[in-house]
Amino acid sequence: MRHFLADDDLTPAEQAQVLALAAELKHAPYDAKPLAGPRTVAMIFDKQTLRTQSSFAAGIAELGGFPMLVDGSLAGIGVRESVHDVARVLGRQASMIVWRTYAQARLEEMAEHSGVPVVNALTDDFHPCQLLADLLTVQEHKQQLAGLTVAFVGDGACNMGNSWLLAGATAGMHVRISSPDGYAPAQEMVDRAAAIAATTGGSAALEADPVAAVTGADVVVTDTWISMGKEDEAAARAAVFAPYSLTTALFEHAKPDAIAMHCLPAYRGKEIDAEVLDGPQSVVWDEAENRRHAQKAILTFLMEEATS
Ligand code: NVA
């Protein structure tokens, strides 16, 4: 049973295949109905959501399926009953499970026992659906992925930093992560990305100096400094991350035609200047739209793998 729990669950060839399918589905959104029946896809949210819930629900409906919303706070997964038992119950109701939660281990346990494909809709460690959407967006704007340089500035230890490392390396990109001391991705994650990059011609590197990281980049990415679950650290983080803000001045070090990316929600004046987020080189609204197309592609891929 194939799942999509982390970005490197797809080989480079499979990632390219899913991205090509996403582009095709974007072009003809109502033509493919692999979830006809309708097949039910359970969507569980233990954390807040806007883009993920709406894009999965719309995408599943467009594929001919039924998006079944499971409220994580009502289900109480791991509290009211174990992940293992929930997996066995939902696996009897749904053809696939999409879950946004905290620890990656919870998702892995779900995948182990559900008997149906499980998709990571964000954990503390990874946000792989966002990365499929982001890579689709880069491809649309730059007509290539392999060989491009992407600089991620901000909280490199969060899900987006990790996912850019793995997904970018899988796509053959040169990924630079620039974070303050104590907020870099784990060395294990950098090594995991570097091992992939060695097979794709990409690279994975940490660069503490944000100006050095952004200089010459084709793509500049940031994310909130306070990921869901880190709200208690807001004040301390605001001070530490200030030099890593994606300001107009920092963005000017990138290539003149660089694009600016942010998975949203964004906090203008904190991790990104309004002039960058709302400026002509920002592609953030394309990223948000592309969630739907990219997720339709990964659901189609997993459904085909499960039924072939
Ligand atoms: N790193 C952010 C991403 C939000 C889509 C978070 O986990 O809150």
Side-chain angles (χ1 to χ4, degrees):
M1 180 64 56
R2 295 289 299 270
H3 305 281
F4 190 48
L5 309 183
D7 306 82
D8 56 353
D9 283 342
L10 295 179
T11 65
E14 288 169 344
Q15 185 195 66
Q17 180 192 335
V18 169
L19 291 174
L21 178 58
E24 221 176 277
L25 291 168
K26 183 170 183 173
H27 187 68
Y30 311 113
D31 287 3
K33 304 282 178 209
L35 300 183
R39 286 175 181 267
T40 293
V41 179
M43 309 185 302
I44 320 167
F45 294 97
D46 292 341
K47 292 179 174 177
Q48 291 158 294
T49 178
L50 168 70
R51 277 151 294 277
T52 301
Q53 182 181 334
S54 57
S55 58
F56 265 110
I60 290 161
E62 286 176 9
L63 293 174
F66 170 66
M68 179 173 69
L69 184 60
V70 178
D71 181 333
S73 62
L74 291 179
I77 303 173
V79 179
R80 189 163 168 263
E81 55 191 320
S82 67
V83 175
H84 188 150
D85 286 358
V86 170
R88 289 196 287 192
V89 171
L90 287 181
R92 300 285 184 107
Q93 306 295 351
S95 297
M96 285 188 275
I97 296 170
V98 170
W99 191 13
R100 165 168 291 189
T101 192
Y102 292 86
Q104 185 74 9
R106 283 163 65 77
L107 199 73
E108 285 165 3
E109 195 179 345
M110 181 76 86
E112 199 177 323
H113 301 292
S114 62
V116 298
V118 173
V119 174
N120 182 349
L122 182 148
T123 58
D124 294 342
D125 289 352
F126 302 108
H127 197 1
C129 289
Q130 180 70 50
L131 259 291
L132 288 179
D134 286 0
L135 294 180
L136 177 63
T137 306
V138 174
Q139 212 163 42
E140 287 172 347
H141 286 270
K142 297 282 167 202
Q143 289 75 48
Q144 67 177 103
L145 292 173
L148 293 181
T149 295
V150 54
F152 178 101
V153 286
D155 185 5
C158 85
N159 39 29
M160 286 299 294
N162 289 337
S163 276
W164 263 107
L165 275 173
L166 297 187
T170 302
M173 298 175 81
H174 301 290
V175 186
R176 302 172 183 164
I177 307 279
S178 188
S179 320
D181 208 23
Y183 296 93
Q187 190 57 45
E188 177 266 328
M189 203 61 70
V190 182
D191 294 345
R192 185 165 152 183
I196 299 168
T199 71
T200 62
S203 61
L206 301 182
E207 172 51 71
D209 176 5
V211 172
V214 168
T215 297
D218 301 281
V219 179
V220 185
V221 189
T222 191
D223 184 17
T224 179
W225 296 335
I226 301 143
S227 285
M228 292 178 277
K230 301 285 184 197
E231 291 80 2
D232 292 352
E233 301 172 21
R237 283 174 171 253
V240 176
F241 280 104
Y244 291 81
S245 181
L246 181 50
T247 58
T248 306
L250 181 58
F251 190 60
E252 276 169 4
H253 291 279
K255 285 199 179 140
D257 63 348
I259 53 175
M261 304 187 80
H262 192 309
C263 64
L264 305 174
Y267 301 93
R268 291 170 176 82
K270 302 279 191 195
E271 77 274 7
I272 189 164
D273 275 1
E275 290 72 17
V276 179
L277 188 84
D278 301 312
Q281 287 166 262
S282 166
V283 297
V284 301
W285 312 113
D286 291 343
E287 291 178 74
E289 176 187 337
N290 284 341
R291 294 292 303 278
R292 184 168 86 261
H293 310 301
Q295 288 159 189
K296 286 173 69 178
I298 188 68
L299 291 177
T300 301
F301 174 85
L302 292 173
M303 200 71 251
E304 279 171 6
E305 291 282 323
T307 52
S308 65

